[in-house]
Amino acid sequence: MSSTIERSQTHATFVLERTYPVRVEAVWHALSDNAARDQWFGGGPEFDTREKSHEFRVGGHAVEEGQWHAGPRSRFLATYTDIVEHQRIVFTYDMWVDDRHLSTSVTTIVLEPDGDGTRLTYTEQGVHLDGLDSVEGREAGTRGLLDNLGAFLAGDRG
């Protein structure tokens, strides 16, 4: 018995901007500090984490693997390729669901002062593989993560 997968690749770019009412240093801390990042990044209470690590340095890796309650297994694996303190983070990442490779992306996060707050610009350039993922779904998920970041920065930890 063989399974035939129709191979395809879809390239897409999306850009999201957020303005947070806190200084750049606070946003940077939320992005770079392990304990802070654990508060907002990931699947939340609906996700049973099996592996999680975050090594914030050029060449460092971030991993989050687990399973959605009664749902699929997910694996996020990132490598940091450029870090300019308080200004820019560039990383590549791959996503898998149930051992199927969904995508590979290059992401750039830029932080800029905006009055008393911070403007964050998130740009993702990705290739979505074999029809298993879509840029619309990825963008929606990223919007959710940036909303979680905003809630964390506003002091809402629950």
Side-chain angles (χ1 to χ4, degrees), residues 14-153:
F14 64 90
V15 179
L16 302 173
E17 291 187 353
R18 292 286 196 276
T19 301
Y20 298 116
V22 296
R23 294 177 39 175
V24 167
E25 292 80 7
V27 178
W28 185 264
H29 178 78
L31 295 169
S32 63
D33 179 80
N34 288 341
R37 187 174 183 273
D38 283 349
Q39 298 295 308
W40 65 270
F41 185 88
E46 298 84 26
F47 190 73
D48 294 322
T49 302
R50 295 192 177 141
E51 180 183 355
K52 189 172 196 171
S53 64
H54 182 229
E55 185 183 9
F56 189 75
R57 63 171 183 79
V58 172
H61 299 284
V63 176
E64 185 153 352
E65 182 172 351
Q67 185 162 6
W68 300 96
H69 293 199
R73 291 182 331 276
S74 173
R75 181 171 176 80
F76 163 88
L77 176 61
T79 301
Y80 291 100
T81 61
D82 185 69
I83 297 173
V84 179
E85 189 171 11
H86 299 144
Q87 294 178 32
R88 180 178 65 221
I89 302 167
V90 180
F91 60 95
T92 62
Y93 78 93
D94 288 274
M95 288 291 302
W96 287 269
V97 169
D98 289 336
D99 298 322
R100 294 178 299 172
H101 190 199
L102 267 60
S103 63
T104 299
S105 296
V106 175
T107 300
T108 304
I109 299 173
V110 174
L111 303 179
E112 300 171 285
D114 187 355
D116 291 335
T118 301
R119 182 180 331 116
L120 180 148
T121 303
Y122 180 104
T123 304
E124 182 166 322
Q125 301 164 291
V127 57
H128 303 269
L129 304 169
D130 302 332
L132 300 171
D133 189 23
S134 71
V135 69
E136 296 83 8
R138 183 61 53 82
E139 184 174 341
T142 303
R143 285 181 192 280
L145 283 174
L146 295 179
D147 290 347
N148 291 348
L149 174 59
F152 172 79
L153 293 168

